[in-house]
Amino acid sequence: MPLLSCTDALQLIASKIQALSALRAVEIVGLDEAHGRVLAQPVAADRDQPPFPRSTRDGYALRATDAGSPLALLGGIRAGEQWTGKPLAAGETIEIMTGAPVPVGADAVVMLEHVSADAAAVTLQPGRSAKAGENIVQQAAEARAGDVLLQPGTRLGPAEIALLASVGAAQVDVFARPAVAILSTGDELVPVHETPAPMQIRNSNAHGLAAMVAAQGGVPRILPIAADTREALHAAITAARGADMLLLSGGVSAGKYDFVKDALLALGAEFFFTGVAMQPGKPAVFGRIPPDSTHGEQWVFGLPGNPVSTQVTALLFAMPMLRALGGEGANGEGERTAPQPFLAEARLAEVVAVRPGLTRFLPALLTSSLGGATVRTTGWQGSGDLNANARANCYLVVPPDAERLGEGTTVTVLLQ
Ligand code: AMP
Ligand code: MG
């Protein structure tokens, strides 16, 4: 198979996502357990928002046309109260606090700071006036009772959780999290709790991947390390069949002991790409094991074993698919918006020169201020350098046709 460009690889994954049909099982969770989950049902406003004309200031409710003369003070209301006296008439005012319902008869609120008030009369300060509607959010201006506020397929963050709370959604229908099997391959690997012999290394990839999967809404399951033999891989991949997604690390290059693709093929996998014009991550594999009588389809990513390659390719390719399998972007009407990797723009704080031809992902540190985000690379010893990777909080994306990115240019970063 030819190398795909990075852009084509992402497009291919998006097209597979758009063609996903099955929706996941639905679970009911308490509102405070719903953060990070994906909404499975539309949620509508249970009443108008705001439910009454709401004062947005501490001040005085009045008729805007009366603002020029001293006003008689009828009394006051605070948030949570309703004016129960007679409707406000010409020449009158009622003291009102932020969040209280504007009394019938008033059409504006003037700020406390803009009036002089004594027991007898309230007068606007010189130069101050009032406009009808000022400092009032009219009933239903934000939403009407019955309006759909959140669509299925929405990932729930703090803003959505607060909105759900405002409509009384103490329980929320969310999609079940996808199960992700994580299989590290390599004769040189030992589990994290074992002491490696001098020529061995610890299986760090599985744990980094498990953290990434959990952060993006999946349920990771780390499988025992598989040796670099067809038999061991066959057995391990078979054991992973129940999962919605399989993340393999290592064994996908062209080395003498790289049998992952062979083992997948022997299990009936189809491949959509087996190499991407990128660095790190060039041997990345994306495929699918079709459903059989006992298992559903399984999406498979064969990630190169070098730790930075593993994380870059997982972030870029596997996480959008994971989020889609978790229901993100599925609006329930058969249409899907494919989740995208988290890419952003920043100002480059240095000159970066590379050999053109491949899309590069360089470990980099993004620092942000109100003036914008700035990025610089962390320097690295190549795609095995976990330390440079941990000093970074993103990857600088260097397009395949660029040889030199100048200081101060706007660049793209892949966020972790
Ligand atoms: P591979 O893709 O299998 O050729 O592995 C490339 C490099 O990544 C080798 O130096 C491996 O030792 C290293 N590597 C492979 N798998 C892991 C892993 N699970 N954790 C840490 N390093 C790994
Ligand atoms: Mg290997």
Side-chain angles (χ1 to χ4, degrees), residues 315-333:
L315 262 184
L316 197 63
F317 301 135
M319 292 304 106
M321 177 55 93
L322 171 66
R323 285 157 53 207
L325 291 176
E328 188 179 325
N331 70 5
E333 284 159 24

Side-chain angles (χ1 to χ4, degrees), residues 28-316:
I28 300 175
V29 295
L31 182 59
D32 295 319
E33 280 75 58
H35 183 242
R37 303 299 299 266
V38 179
L39 195 62
Q41 283 198 326
V43 173
D46 63 330
R47 54 184 190 153
D48 290 347
Q49 291 192 344
F52 48 78
R54 178 178 65 207
S55 175
T56 63
R57 298 277 189 240
D58 296 327
Y60 291 87
L62 46 65
R63 296 180 176 195
T65 49
D66 286 357
S69 31
L71 302 169
L73 182 60
L74 298 186
I77 46 169
R78 42 209 271 192
E81 285 181 345
Q82 183 140 20
W83 178 249
T84 52
K86 69 173 191 67
L88 183 135
E92 295 174 342
T93 188
I94 294 167
E95 190 181 22
I96 189 167
M97 298 299 138
T98 303
V102 175
V104 174
D107 66 359
V109 171
V110 293
M111 287 169 65
L112 194 63
E113 294 85 342
H114 293 176
V115 304
S116 312
D118 57 34
V122 174
T123 313
L124 265 69
Q125 289 168 355
R128 298 287 179 191
S129 59
K131 279 204 308 283
E134 191 170 310
N135 298 325
I136 299 173
V137 180
Q138 296 302 340
Q139 178 168 344
E142 295 161 357
R144 295 208 160 274
D147 282 356
V148 173
L149 304 182
L150 290 171
Q151 295 288 350
T154 304
R155 195 169 291 279
L156 302 174
E160 289 80 13
I161 300 277
L163 185 58
L164 287 167
S166 79
V167 301
Q171 309 276 315
V172 188
D173 285 5
V174 296
F175 290 118
R177 291 187 178 104
V180 181
I182 298 175
L183 178 58
S184 298
T185 74
D187 291 340
E188 74 280 32
L189 301 178
V190 298
V192 63
H193 47 80
E194 282 179 25
T195 307
M199 62 297 186
Q200 294 179 315
I201 59 165
R202 295 191 178 93
N203 173 15
S204 57
N205 284 345
H207 300 281
L209 288 173
M212 193 184 290
V213 164
Q216 302 214 19
V219 179
R221 182 161 64 99
I222 298 179
L223 301 176
I225 295 162
D228 288 318
T229 65
R230 288 188 175 83
E231 300 69 37
L233 288 167
H234 191 282
I237 296 169
T238 304
R241 274 297 276 117
D244 301 293
M245 184 187 275
L246 170 61
L247 298 180
L248 289 137
S249 100
V252 290
S253 308
K256 202 168 163 187
Y257 304 102
D258 291 333
F259 297 132
V260 162
K261 282 179 279 188
D262 290 356
L264 285 168
L265 277 179
L267 284 160
E270 53 176 336
F271 293 140
F272 307 119
F273 62 70
T274 54
V276 182
M278 65 190 289
Q279 201 280 322
K282 196 161 141 198
V285 171
F286 170 45
R288 185 186 84 118
I289 302 180
D292 59 25
S293 53
T294 27
H295 300 109
E297 67 183 355
Q298 186 179 56
W299 299 93
V300 181
F301 291 86
L303 312 172
N306 263 315
V308 186
S309 317
T310 308
Q311 294 211 345
V312 166
T313 50
L315 262 184
L316 197 63

Side-chain angles (χ1 to χ4, degrees), residues 8-32:
D8 287 350
L10 285 172
Q11 228 148 51
L12 203 152
I13 292 167
S15 73
K16 296 296 169 197
I17 289 173
Q18 268 143 3
L20 288 174
S21 52
L23 279 183
R24 305 193 60 72
V26 172
E27 301 173 355
I28 300 175
V29 295
L31 182 59
D32 295 319

